[in-house]
Amino acid sequence: MEFSHKSVLLEECIDGLHIQPDGIYVDGTAGGAGHSREIARRLTTGRLFALDKDPTAVAVATERLASFPTTKVIHTDFADMPAVLAEQGIVPGTVNGILLDLGVSSYQLDTAERGFSYMQDAPLDMRMSQEGLSAWDIVNTYDVSSLARIIREFGEEHYALPIAKKIARARQDHPIDTTGQLVELIRQAIPPKARSEGGHPAKRTFQAIRIAVNSELDSLSRCLDTAFELLAPGGRFVIITFHSLEDRMVKQKFAALCRGCTCPPDFPVCVCGNKPRAKLINRKPIEAGEEELAENSRSKSAKLRILEKL
């Protein structure tokens, strides 16, 4: 299957990066290279580093960016961005823009054998890196409390405990090997009335397991803690999120970088000396317009936040 992925909020991201032709840019989630190509097209003597943890995405991005000599594609988790860029001779304080398009790609969802989708029956997998811990391992080996915690915290699923108990009972008879088997167990664990509300009943549980398999929130937290230091003054940090946990983490980190003084409000004068290190380019997240929503349903939950280093 051809690696197909519609880049969400493409124009808004490119505008947000405020690209300089001679600047240094990082696309931390290259995917099908949609955002990367638009960045690369605007560079003359600048450089672009396109990162992805999915080896298939790396292969595709390498091919699609081959005509841009100042672009380098690297197989890595964006959480390791500072170390990876250091190997390329890029030091903190010199990067002009960083882009993260979080979540799962259209290709990963639509390729049944990757096991991301609750709409297609396939082996349980969900590994973006195609190595290490898989969804099968979590579903078949984690105890009930651990399963319930993952489903509740990462999926914000009200019926996390009943779903975890249903899974644990079923795997006593035989392993849960496919996405179809897991979907049916989730459906059975959720009351009929709740199943008819809020979209597909397996959506939140699949999201939760995928996040756990790929350590998505941990990677984002690590990146937010370290990647900002890579930016030059005036450099932009542009992030698209697709669910509330990601967006909350980005919003809070960006707010902290913009806050400055942390003294208690009843102090007559500031004694901490902290100054704002960044400013928000958009105070409210940018969301897809009607035209994009009509063309790409996956843009519905997308939120774009942009930060500029002072």
Side-chain angles (χ1 to χ4, degrees), residues 81-83 85-86 89-95 226-233 309:
M81 191 183 298
L85 292 186
I90 305 301
V91 298
T94 61
V95 174
T226 60
F228 179 79
E229 304 303 331
L230 294 168
L231 290 172
K309 187 173 185 179

Side-chain angles (χ1 to χ4, degrees), residues 28-64:
T29 48
H35 288 111
S36 286
R37 277 188 295 191
E38 293 304 316
I39 296 170
R41 284 173 181 158
R42 289 162 171 77
L43 301 180
T44 52
T45 57
R47 302 176 70 185
L48 168 64
F49 297 93
L51 319 180
D52 207 289
K53 68 192 297 183
D54 187 332
T56 303
V58 169
V60 170
T62 299
E63 180 181 347
R64 293 180 178 176

Side-chain angles (χ1 to χ4, degrees), residues 7-254:
S7 299
V8 174
L9 296 168
L10 178 58
E11 292 183 11
E12 292 86 348
C13 284
I14 298 303
D15 289 344
L17 284 169
H18 195 59
I19 296 171
Q20 303 171 34
D22 60 349
I24 299 172
Y25 294 88
V26 184
D27 182 349
T29 48
H35 288 111
S36 286
R37 277 188 295 191
E38 293 304 316
I39 296 170
R41 284 173 181 158
R42 289 162 171 77
L43 301 180
T44 52
T45 57
R47 302 176 70 185
L48 168 64
F49 297 93
L51 319 180
D52 207 289
K53 68 192 297 183
D54 187 332
T56 303
V58 169
V60 170
T62 299
E63 180 181 347
R64 293 180 178 176
L65 296 170
S67 61
F68 300 101
T70 59
T71 296
K72 185 175 182 63
V73 182
I74 303 172
H75 182 204
T76 188
D77 188 322
F78 61 71
D80 298 321
M81 191 183 298
V84 168
L85 292 186
E87 293 173 357
Q88 304 298 320
I90 305 301
V91 298
T94 61
V95 174
N96 300 100
I98 297 170
L99 169 67
L100 299 180
D101 179 5
L102 302 174
V104 64
S105 72
S106 300
Y107 170 81
Q108 289 165 333
L109 280 171
D110 295 338
T111 305
E113 59 266 28
R114 296 295 296 270
F116 285 100
S117 176
Y118 46 80
M119 301 299 291
Q120 305 178 79
D121 193 21
L124 270 176
D125 194 329
M126 303 192 195
R127 296 173 296 176
M128 292 180 181
S129 64
Q130 300 181 36
E131 61 183 16
L133 182 80
S134 72
W136 189 97
D137 296 315
I138 289 177
V139 169
N140 286 285
T141 68
Y142 280 31
D143 61 36
V144 169
S145 61
S146 297
L147 267 177
R149 179 188 58 80
I150 287 170
I151 297 168
R152 181 177 58 254
E153 293 182 6
F154 296 162
E156 299 178 297
E157 171 59 72
H158 295 304
Y159 299 98
L161 185 56
I163 291 170
K165 288 180 176 179
K166 190 73 175 179
I167 290 170
R169 285 195 296 269
R171 72 192 187 193
Q172 290 177 353
D173 297 328
H174 55 78
I176 301 164
D177 293 321
T178 70
T179 55
Q181 291 172 336
L182 180 58
V183 167
E184 180 57 23
L185 291 171
I186 295 167
R187 190 191 67 79
Q188 293 174 13
I190 297 176
K193 186 177 185 299
R195 288 203 301 264
S196 64
E197 302 170 350
H200 196 288
K203 179 179 179 179
R204 291 179 292 274
T205 298
F206 268 62
Q207 171 186 290
I209 294 172
R210 189 202 81 220
I211 289 172
V213 166
N214 297 288
S215 301
E216 292 178 36
L217 295 180
D218 179 61
S219 290
L220 177 58
S221 178
R222 288 168 56 203
C223 184
L224 289 171
D225 284 342
T226 60
F228 179 79
E229 304 303 331
L230 294 168
L231 290 172
R236 298 280 183 89
F237 207 161
V238 176
I239 304 180
I240 307 173
T241 64
F242 287 89
H243 61 75
S244 60
L245 297 175
E246 293 173 338
D247 186 59
R248 190 179 307 131
M249 189 180 294
V250 173
K251 180 181 178 180
Q252 290 174 350
K253 181 62 177 181
F254 279 11

Side-chain angles (χ1 to χ4, degrees), residues 6-8 106 288 291-300:
K6 288 187 177 181
S7 299
V8 174
S106 300
E291 184 176 343
E292 182 169 6
L293 288 169
E295 293 179 355
N296 183 6
S297 61
R298 288 173 182 159
S299 66
K300 183 178 180 180

